[in-house]
Structures are given as C-alpha cells and as structure tokens.
Amino acid sequence: VSLLAGLTGRLAAAAPLGLLAAVVAFVPRGASADTTEAARATLTHWTLRAAQLWLAAALVMTFANPTFVLGLPLRVAFVPSSWWTFITTTPSALAWLVSALVALATVLASLRVRSPGALIGLWLLGAGSTLFVAVTGNVTVGLDHDFATDAMTLAGAAAVLVGSAAVAVVAGAAVGVDPRAGLARYVRTGPLLVAMAAGYAVVAWQQLAGVSPLDVAFGMPVVFGFAVLALLVAVAVLRALVRPVRLRLVTALVDLVLLVIAVTSLNAAEHLPPPRFMVPQSIQINYLGYEVLEPANLARVAGLGRPNLLWTVITITGLALYAVGMVRARRLGHAWPVSRPIFFAAGMGLTGYLAVSGLWEYSTAAFSWHMLVHMTINMMIPVLCVLGAPFELLRAASRPRGADELPGAAQLLDDLLATRVLRVLTSAPVVWAVYVFSLFGVYFSPLFPWLMRYHWGHQAMLLFFMMVGFGFFNLLLAPGDGPGRLPYVLRFALLISVMPFHAMFAVGIMSSRQVIGEQFYAMLAIPWVPDLLADQNVAGQITWFTGEVPAFIAVVMLAAQWFRSDSRAAAAA
C-alpha cells in the first residue's frame, strides 16, 4: 500500500504544480484574451482533478507510511490514538500530512481563486510540501546524512522546477497555447538536470555506504534512476540544438515520460533498506550525521570545518544571480550604486563563511555556538543583504513584457506581493510581531529540541529566521522612497522597539534554571560541554552581544537614509 500510494502521491503532486505553473508563467496574459481565458479555465479544471487524486494518495500515506516505517500492520494506524502517535514520531508521516493539507488547499483554491499571485503562492506551498516528503525519508539516517539531506533538498528543488516546466509546456500546448515562448523558457532549465544528477549522486553515495549498487536490491532503482537522468540530459542537449517547435515539443513529452520513470525509481528506493541502515552508528551520528569529539577552540571554530552543503550552494547561487542581475540592469540602462553589491557580497560572504567554517559544525553540538550562528543569520546577514537591494535589482534587470510574451520574474514577484495574504504578512505590525516573538516561540517551547533532532529541521529553522530577519529589515532599510513606504520616524521607532525584546530574550536565556533543549543536548552527551547550564549562560551573553552589533549598524544606516531623504526633499523645495 505504501509503495503504490507513495508513487501516486508523488506523481499526483507533480501534476498540479505543473498546471499551476502553466497558468501563471507559461500562458501570455495580454494576447487573445478569449483564447487564453479558455486555456486557463481548462488548466484550472485539470488542476482540480489532479489535486483531488493528490489529496487521496497523501491521506492514505499518512496511515501507510508510518506503519511501513515501523513494520506494523496497516490496521494499527486506523486506531485514532495510534495514528496520531505515528504522525508525531515519524517525520515522514508528518510530511505526508502536510502534503495532504496543501493538496486540500489546492483543491479549494482551484474552485475559486484566479489571482496569479495567489496561484504562485499555492505553487510555492506545493513545492515546499514535496521537498518535505523528500527530505524525511531514508536520507535522514546514518553517517553523512547531513550531506545527503541537503543534496536531496537541492536535487528535489531542481526536479520540481524541471517537472513543473515540462508539465506546463505540454499542458499549455494541449489547450491551444502557442508553445514557442514556453519552450524557449523550458530550454533554460537544462542546467538544472546537472544539479539533479549531482544531488542524487551524493544521496546514492551516502545511502550505499561503500557497497556496490549491483550487489544489493537497493542499488537496482538507483542505477535505473541514473540511467534515466542520463537520458534526460541527452534529450535536453537535443532540445537546445534543434529549432522546429514540433520537435522541441516532442522532447518535452519525452521528458515527462522519463520523469515519471525517475520518480518511480526514487519511490522504489524509498521502500528498500539501503546498506547505510546496516552500519552501526553513535548517538551523535544519529542526530547530526557526524561526530564532534574535539573541544571547541578559536582555531577549530574560525578555520575550515565540516561544510554545510545547502548554505554553501545558497551563497554561490545568490552571488551568481546578483552578478547576472547587475549586468542585465546596466544593459537596460539602469545605473546601480556601487555600495549595493558591496553590501550584498558582504552578506552572502558572511553566509558562506558560516557554511564552511567550524562555526556551523560546532553550532550543531553546543547551544552557545548555535546562538552565535543563529543571531548572525537572524540579524547581521539580513541587514547586509537588504542594503544590497536584491528586489530592486530584480525589477531593474527585468525588461517590460509585451502582450504576447510570458510574464517575467519581476512581474511574478509583484503578483505574489500583491496578494491579500502577503500584504497582511508583510505589514508592519505582523512583521514586527513575528520578528520579536518567533524567538520566544521557538526557543522556549518543545519546538526547538524537536527541530534540532533532524538536520532538515535545523536547516528549516535557520532559513525561517533568515527570512523573518530579511522581512523585518527590508521594511526598515530597503533603499528608496517609493509609495507605501513607512515614514522614517516610524521606521526608527520600530527598530528601537525591538531592542528591549532582544535584551529580554538574552536575559531569559541567561537566567533560566532549566536547560533549553535539554533532552537533545543530553542525548548528544558532548564530552567537552560538561555543564549545559553554564554553556547556556554563555549563549545568553553571545545573544545579547550579537544582537546589539547589527542593531547599531541598522541605526546608522537608517539615520543616513533619513538624512539623504530630507536633503533631497529640501533641495526640491
């Protein structure tokens, strides 16, 4: 049951994502209004049907997956108390429950929602739930599972983009949309296949644990999957070389067939025990993917350590996209201040340093080093990246689109930000409240030790805090005085108002007589952290100090922006 329902759920989730992508990004919005509206209506109807199948399969998996993982009869899961126990103890079952909820939202939205921005948000939710299912499977077990989890995240993200584009092109052509523009956009997804192959190679390396794939049953779907990936790369090269639209469309259809086979192989591998399961592991390897046996010192923390694969790729990708954006903006005649790339490079550079230095390695084992990394990601990096104005660069690098052209990245971003939900979530009161109280909600609740037990949970927590920090400082420090921006006096008040709460948070950590995340850190039993409460006191001091430095930088930059704005207003007057 788990094998069939898992395959159905994965394929059924891919279909609505591709159909949503077709509606918002692969159908021109201004030309032949009657034709495009009819196409969108048909695509939306197909989305509804596919999402219903996705919902049914995901619901079945909330019962079938935990019983399969635990080796119990399926009937046990249908006892309400047992089902909820399975959901809360097996992350993969929780991931399928989240997938079911997103599928339900897709079903309901397909009945009423027509706003492009809302559909983009729905696609993002679906992509996130798909990745959640992918990273809570076999990759979470054993030595080096931190590398495997990050690699699965990156490969899964690439697969979602490629799969959505393939479905969008084929589905759009099926409802009468001219496929030329969509195919041109689809051709540019070719490099993502290389990312998929590299990510799955890391996963296979970790799961096989040195065993030849030809010697175990687990290796058969792995070998088959890589053969399919090789065919996908070959078809992508052919598509880039040929010009006839009909032939390119055939290659997209071939891609769909190959992707279905690849998902089938991946699903089969998830239901076979990999050799990694047979290798004994310590408690630290079980929770971290590696051991941190050497005590922390300045040389080990500041020097190169165990790299964080996900954040390293984020750093490189962010810098590369920013450089491309600057080139395109200048070609379009937009001047770009030299200070902005300096700030953005500093923010991404600091992110990369955290990813490859010993700071990341030791932050997973000791709460004091964790708080240093966390506060840097929550405050310092967002301040620097916001001053680099990445959203403004995206708009400056995007040319105006004609009626017969597909919407560009800037238009899709503006569509998303224009939705009612995003307007509420990015409003000053909500951003301020989330920025302040999310710290207390995570660290002074059982959520923190639960997230720290899983590599994907730790990564998700850091990504969340980085996005929250970016949202808050973007509200205050984003360059420019466009319409809708808060008055400087209100921005200054908001910035000053968060400082006491950060101080209260730091004091709360230092004065607490109960160890935060005690169960997790006690199980790790790090020999060079004999007193968890003393380490927590150090963490509180680090939190206080690292919160004050970026706040001071933000105050200086906000004051400088305020001064320049008043000077321009005075000169104009």
Side-chain angles (χ1 to χ4, degrees):
V1 175
S2 178
L3 180 67
L4 294 177
L7 177 59
T8 304
R10 287 180 167 90
L11 293 177
L17 292 180
L19 294 168
L20 288 171
V23 173
V24 300
F26 285 82
V27 175
R29 298 183 185 176
S32 305
D34 293 339
T35 303
T36 55
E37 284 304 316
R40 287 195 184 92
T42 303
L43 292 170
T44 302
H45 178 73
W46 292 353
T47 303
L48 171 63
R49 297 307 181 199
Q52 289 171 336
L53 181 59
W54 175 18
L55 173 61
L59 286 175
V60 171
M61 283 299 289
T62 62
F63 295 93
N65 178 266
T67 53
F68 170 79
V69 170
L70 300 175
L72 297 173
L74 182 61
R75 64 178 181 274
V76 177
F78 286 93
V79 179
S81 59
S82 300
W83 173 78
W84 184 245
T85 300
F86 293 154
I87 289 291
T88 55
T89 55
T90 55
S92 52
L94 177 62
W96 279 110
L97 178 61
V98 171
S99 182
L101 294 174
V102 175
L104 177 60
T106 306
V107 170
L108 298 177
S110 299
L111 296 172
R112 299 189 56 177
V113 176
R114 297 295 180 267
S115 164
L119 297 179
I120 294 170
L122 201 59
W123 185 91
L124 292 172
L125 287 176
S129 68
T130 301
L131 293 181
F132 192 16
V133 170
V135 301
T136 52
N138 294 341
V139 294
T140 63
V141 177
L143 181 67
D144 298 319
H145 75 253
D146 55 323
F147 290 152
T149 303
D150 288 348
M152 180 64 83
T153 302
L154 297 168
V160 168
L161 291 170
V162 172
S164 295
V167 172
V169 168
V170 174
V175 297
V177 177
D178 187 345
R180 286 176 295 180
L183 284 168
R185 175 165 286 181
Y186 182 49
V187 167
R188 292 196 289 270
T189 64
L192 293 176
L193 294 172
V194 179
M196 287 173 57
Y200 288 130
V202 174
V203 172
W205 161 76
Q206 189 267 344
Q207 295 281 280
L208 287 169
V211 177
S212 170
L214 302 179
D215 294 339
V216 289
F218 175 82
M220 294 301 103
V222 172
V223 172
F224 199 70
F226 277 106
V228 173
L229 280 173
L231 289 175
L232 282 169
V233 172
V235 174
V237 172
L238 175 63
R239 183 168 46 250
L241 295 176
V242 300
R243 296 301 174 192
V245 175
R246 186 182 297 273
L247 187 54
R248 279 189 166 186
L249 193 57
V250 170
T251 63
L253 187 58
V254 171
D255 279 356
L256 276 183
V257 175
L258 292 175
L259 286 170
V260 169
I261 298 173
V263 171
T264 304
S265 300
L266 177 64
N267 185 69
E270 282 291 325
H271 289 81
L272 292 171
R276 176 60 64 191
F277 281 16
M278 310 305 166
V279 180
Q281 59 183 17
S282 65
I283 291 294
Q284 290 189 31
I285 290 176
N286 180 59
Y287 286 112
L288 306 180
Y290 52 90
E291 293 181 323
V292 188
L293 301 178
E294 298 293 332
N297 58 38
L298 183 61
R300 293 193 182 99
V301 171
L304 293 178
R306 186 180 183 87
N308 184 318
L309 181 59
L310 178 63
W311 286 90
T312 301
V313 173
I314 288 175
T315 300
I316 296 172
T317 305
L319 290 172
L321 290 177
Y322 198 92
V324 171
M326 286 181 58
V327 171
R328 294 189 61 177
R330 287 175 177 171
R331 285 178 180 174
L332 292 172
H334 299 288
W336 196 248
V338 68
S339 61
R340 294 182 182 180
I342 293 175
F343 280 122
F344 191 82
M348 285 288 96
L350 183 55
T351 305
Y353 176 72
L354 292 180
V356 301
S357 69
L359 282 170
W360 161 252
E361 183 177 352
Y362 281 93
S363 72
T364 61
F367 187 58
S368 53
W369 294 112
H370 167 86
M371 289 311 300
L372 175 61
V373 171
H374 157 76
M375 294 304 294
T376 304
I377 286 176
N378 184 235
M379 294 193 71
M380 180 64 79
I381 291 173
V383 167
L384 296 172
C385 288
V386 164
L387 293 172
F391 287 166
E392 287 74 9
L393 178 61
L394 176 62
R395 295 186 177 95
S398 300
R399 60 178 177 79
R401 301 284 170 156
D404 294 322
E405 293 183 293
L406 301 180
Q411 185 176 352
L412 295 176
L413 175 64
D414 291 337
D415 289 338
L416 181 62
L417 295 177
T419 59
R420 185 179 304 173
V421 173
L422 261 294
R423 287 202 304 269
V424 172
L425 292 178
T426 56
S427 63
V430 173
V431 169
W432 182 91
V434 172
Y435 183 72
V436 170
F437 296 113
S438 58
L439 291 170
F440 296 90
V442 170
Y443 284 95
F444 293 111
S445 75
L447 186 59
F448 173 71
W450 184 79
L451 289 172
M452 290 293 291
R453 289 172 58 187
Y454 309 102
H455 180 75
W456 59 263
H458 194 175
Q459 299 282 56
M461 177 169 56
L462 293 178
L463 284 170
F464 169 77
F465 281 118
M466 187 176 187
M467 289 189 296
V468 168
F470 186 91
F472 178 73
F473 288 108
N474 187 67
L475 190 71
L476 306 183
L477 300 176
D481 294 316
R485 295 299 304 276
L486 295 175
Y488 278 99
V489 64
L490 185 54
R491 296 190 220 175
F492 199 81
L494 286 174
L495 179 57
I496 296 300
S497 68
V498 302
M499 294 181 182
F501 288 97
H502 270 286
M504 289 170 55
F505 177 66
V507 170
I509 292 176
M510 287 187 290
S511 61
S512 175
R513 296 296 92 194
Q514 182 177 357
V515 176
I516 297 173
E518 182 176 11
Q519 183 183 19
F520 170 74
Y521 289 111
M523 286 189 297
L524 284 184
I526 303 297
W528 44 271
V529 186
D531 190 340
L532 294 177
L533 204 57
D535 183 69
Q536 181 172 297
N537 184 272
V538 174
Q541 299 174 42
I542 291 174
T543 302
W544 200 332
F545 173 75
T546 53
E548 295 299 320
V549 173
F552 174 75
I553 295 175
V555 167
V556 171
M557 297 307 302
L558 185 58
Q561 290 179 0
W562 195 351
F563 175 78
R564 288 196 297 268
S565 177
D566 281 358
S567 298
R568 287 193 297 266

